[in-house]
Amino acid sequence: MEDKDREHPQAHVDIYEKQPVPFGLVRFGVAPDHPEVKNVINTFTQTAHSGRCAFWGNVEVGRDVTVPELREAYHAVVLSYGAEDHRALEIPGEELPGVCSARAFVGWYNGLPENQELEPDLSCDTAVILGQGNVALDVARILLTPPEHLERTDITKAALGVLRQSRVKTVWLVGRRGPLQVAFTIKELREMIQLPGARPILDPVDFLGLQDKIKEVPRPRKRLTELLLRTATEKPGPEEAARQASASRAWGLRFFRSPQQVLPSPDGRRAAGVRLAVTRLEGVDEATRAVPTGDMEDLPCGLVLSSIGYKSRPVDPSVPFDSKLGVIPNVEGRVMDVPGLYCSGWVKRGPTGVIATTMTDSFLTGQMLLQDLKAGLLPSGPRPGYAAIQALLSSRGVRPVSFSDWEKLDAEEVVRGQGTGKPREKLVDPQEMLRLLGH
């Protein structure tokens, strides 16, 4: 956005957002105990204050306004709506109470309006997370962090109340493949290993023969695997041993296990465990697959969180969509066969990577758009922009939320947080937000 602004001194950019508030994933996806990751909000805010940029929240593209209507009003349209769905496990029992997606759980503690009804039951002592990526580690960390360490973050009041009552003592993170294939990064792993009041459980058997294999892997993967290996096999020093001995909670990585079924409680009313197929690895490097050995194992638990990936949804019937890959078919961000339409982020290249990767990706799409503009591939002549869309929204009874509206909500959140020493107390009800704005 900044980039485009500098590259083209006449460009005017309008941002449409489904939520009444800006910042998307940074607000609703980043863990509350990672405030430093949210600093990117300051850059967004600077851009939004530019006279040539406008934010319009509370507008759902595909429902309140269609993509063809936007294409008619603007010279170019960029779709960057990410991956708002989770991948289903597609196993028996996943509909049982006590099973939910990690995505919904993160949305719940981060104040995403659509997840406020979740009310996860944390009265069990064991939780199982299916998946071994950063989101899985975030969820495990929030479940096991002493609540007093969370009370000065922007976690929601409701979530903090539920976590204070939590009886969860052990969290297992289950993966189909082995230590060399985990999808989390070293920073998140280090945080887990040092988590106050919690100790790691790793089976040294899972790490046999790994020392030799580590030599061939790229450096970031090598450092990550070495840390796992040390944690699993080395005897901790006296200080660390004492810390672990006094820990009342634990987390562990279970490798070479693939979920087959969520097991019901005797009355059939809720989840009581997960049946896992034991796997072994076949193939080399990136092509390594987990193949079932025929052995099974039951892991008892009262809470199952699935964290096996995200998927994008089609936004509007006029936009091509590859439902198998879960992306908008595109070449370097240009949507196939639809001139003037672009995409960036997870809806462009699939649900992998962190904020920095997605940012670089949006710069690339921005460059393609500017190239097309220079080459005369975009419509010439004036376009009405927001004026045309505003008339449509108004006729449909939709009240957009501007950036200055957001700044009022922001101030209200900060005031509500002050009493309890939090950076903010997030508003979680869109109706209340609109009431506060007098809409």
Side-chain angles (χ1 to χ4, degrees), residues 360-384:
T360 312
D361 186 68
S362 66
F363 291 156
L364 292 171
T365 293
Q367 280 161 7
M368 293 303 143
L369 196 159
L370 290 167
Q371 273 179 25
D372 292 352
L373 179 66
K374 287 196 184 98
L377 298 172
L378 298 182
S380 57
R383 287 276 164 124

Side-chain angles (χ1 to χ4, degrees), residues 330-335 342-343 348 361 364-365 368-369 371:
N330 70 90
V331 177
E332 298 184 306
R334 295 179 177 98
V335 177
Y342 301 83
C343 57
K348 166 181 168 184
D361 186 68
L364 292 171
T365 293
M368 293 303 143
L369 196 159
Q371 273 179 25

